[in-house]
Amino acid sequence: MVAQFTDRHLGKRVVDHNGVEVGTVDDVRNGDLYVKVGPDADSETLSELHWDGTVNKEVHRLPDQYVSDITDTTVRITI
């Protein structure tokens, strides 16, 4: 999905393909979503997004390629 993200996406829940919450949209910079990882985020999902490893940050850029659907309250990802 190619989308132009804006501030209207701030605060939306980011969920994986099973509906499990990964985090929330914390920032939008240059049309890109930045997600604050939630405490219950699945470690396998974080690994697939390359959001784990030696540099463990709290907020990560979500590449457009992983976004499958956006509703009024959620951003669903393909992973």
Side-chain angles (χ1 to χ4, degrees):
M1 170 180 216
V2 177
Q4 183 64 12
F5 302 111
T6 66
D7 287 348
R8 74 173 188 266
H9 295 99
L10 290 173
K12 289 188 180 191
R13 294 174 51 242
V14 178
V15 298
D16 68 13
H17 68 281
N18 291 320
V20 176
E21 187 169 326
V22 175
T24 57
V25 177
D26 185 67
D27 198 4
V28 178
R29 292 182 232 151
N30 300 318
D32 292 327
L33 295 179
Y34 285 80
V35 177
K36 181 174 184 178
V37 176
D40 298 328
D42 180 67
S43 61
E44 187 174 314
T45 300
L46 297 179
S47 179
E48 288 187 50
L49 289 165
H50 305 286
W51 291 358
D52 62 347
T54 57
V55 180
N56 189 4
K57 300 185 289 184
E58 189 174 306
V59 177
H60 299 271
R61 181 182 165 273
L62 178 61
D64 292 355
Q65 69 196 40
Y66 294 118
V67 177
S68 65
D69 186 44
I70 299 174
T71 69
D72 288 340
T73 59
T74 62
V75 175
R76 185 172 298 273
I77 59 174
T78 58
I79 294 175

